[in-house]
Amino acid sequence: MARGFALGAEIVARWPDVSLPEEVEQKLIERLRARDERAFNELVSTYGRRVSGLVLRMLGNRAEAEDLTQEVFVQVFKAIGSFRGESKLSTWIYRIAVNLCKNRSKYLRVRHASEQDELEAVAERVPLGESRGANVAVIERPDEAMAGKQVEKIVQYAIQTFDPTFRECLILCDVEELSYQEIGEITGLPAGTVKSRIFRARAQLKEIVERELGEKIG
C-alpha cells in the first residue's frame, strides 16, 4: 500500500487569505481603538475562520473552541489600545489565541483529563490535508480515501497528546503555514527552538501514526 506521509520542510507562505493591506489594516485598527462596532464585525469577518480553525485544532473540542474563539476577539477588542504595530495585526491576534488556548488546555486537563469528545469529527469538518495546502497526511491514491480518514483520526488524537508548546508550533507551521520567524513572534520562542520543536513533533507524530497503522509510512 503506497501511502505518503509528510510534514515537510519549512513552509513560508504568508496568510494571503487573512492579512490585510497595510493601509486598510491601519484604518481598521484606528476604528477599533475608537470602539467602532462595525470595525469589530469586520475584524471577526476577516480573521474569524482562521482563528476558529486554529483554536479547534489546539483544543480538540468544538464547544470549547467556539467559546474560546469568541473570547479571543473580545480580548482583541479590549486590548487593541496596547497594540503597538511591531508585528502584523494577524500575528498579534494569533498570539492572543495561542495564549488563551494554553490557559484553557490547562483547565481542561484538570477538569476533563480524558475528554476528547470532538476529535473524531475534526477531520471531517477541517481536514488537515485541506488546510491551506498542508500535507500532514497525504494519500496518494484515490482508492485509499478510507485509509486517509483513518490516518486523519490518528493524527488528531496524536496531536492532542503533545505538550501544548510542541502542538502549537506544529499546527502553526504545518497547518497554518507560518514561517519560523512568525511562529517565534506568536509564541515568544527563538527561531532555533521553534525549529527544534517542530522537528521533534513531526518525528513523534510519525512514530504514533506508524504504530497505530502497524506499518511504515515513508
Side-chain angles (χ1 to χ4, degrees):
M1 183 184 300
R3 182 180 296 123
F5 182 86
L7 286 166
E10 178 184 11
I11 304 170
V12 293
R14 303 299 192 268
W15 289 315
D17 57 333
V18 174
S19 295
L20 299 172
E22 185 175 348
E23 183 177 346
V24 175
E25 181 179 282
Q26 186 56 44
K27 288 182 178 179
L28 177 61
I29 292 170
E30 291 173 359
R31 291 167 58 207
L32 288 168
R33 286 173 173 163
R35 299 300 186 233
D36 184 332
E37 186 174 336
R38 287 179 299 178
F40 178 77
N41 293 334
E42 290 177 25
L43 178 77
V44 174
S45 176
T46 302
Y47 300 103
R49 185 177 180 184
R50 300 306 310 171
V51 170
S52 177
L54 170 66
V55 172
L56 179 57
R57 292 203 176 282
M58 287 289 291
L59 298 181
N61 181 299
R62 184 175 179 81
E64 292 288 348
E66 289 177 349
D67 179 64
L68 191 63
T69 297
Q70 294 182 40
E71 186 176 342
V72 169
F73 287 104
V74 169
Q75 289 296 321
V76 168
F77 193 61
K78 287 181 177 179
I80 192 67
S82 67
F83 177 62
R84 298 189 296 270
E86 296 175 352
S87 66
K88 292 184 294 186
L89 179 62
S90 51
T91 301
W92 185 68
I93 292 172
Y94 264 48
R95 185 182 305 136
I96 290 174
V98 166
N99 287 336
L100 288 175
C101 282
K102 286 181 182 178
N103 293 336
R104 184 65 62 91
S105 292
K106 292 177 183 177
Y107 168 79
L108 292 176
R109 283 200 301 271
V110 172
R111 288 289 303 270
H112 311 288
S114 62
E115 182 180 290
Q116 298 294 341
D117 58 346
E118 285 294 330
L119 284 177
E120 289 187 3
V122 170
E124 296 292 333
R125 289 193 299 269
V126 195
L128 285 168
E130 293 180 7
S131 297
R132 305 188 56 230
N135 57 353
V136 173
V138 179
I139 306 304
E140 295 178 343
R141 298 198 328 231
D143 62 347
E144 292 183 341
M146 292 304 295
K149 290 182 179 179
Q150 179 187 9
V151 173
E152 286 283 357
K153 289 183 178 181
I154 294 171
V155 168
Q156 297 297 341
Y157 279 111
I159 288 175
Q160 293 304 310
T161 68
F162 291 176
D163 180 280
T165 58
F166 285 79
R167 185 191 312 148
E168 69 193 22
C169 288
L170 183 69
I171 292 173
L172 289 171
C173 181
D174 286 352
V175 179
E176 297 302 321
E177 298 188 351
L178 306 187
S179 68
Y180 295 153
Q181 179 181 346
E182 287 171 317
I183 297 170
E185 291 176 358
I186 291 168
T187 61
L189 298 171
T193 301
V194 169
K195 185 175 182 179
S196 173
R197 290 186 178 181
I198 291 169
F199 177 82
R200 291 169 62 186
R202 286 171 176 165
Q204 185 179 352
L205 181 58
K206 183 173 183 290
E207 179 182 348
I208 293 172
V209 173
E210 287 183 339
R211 183 173 66 245
E212 293 297 319
L213 291 177
E215 62 178 285
K216 295 291 183 180
I217 51 179

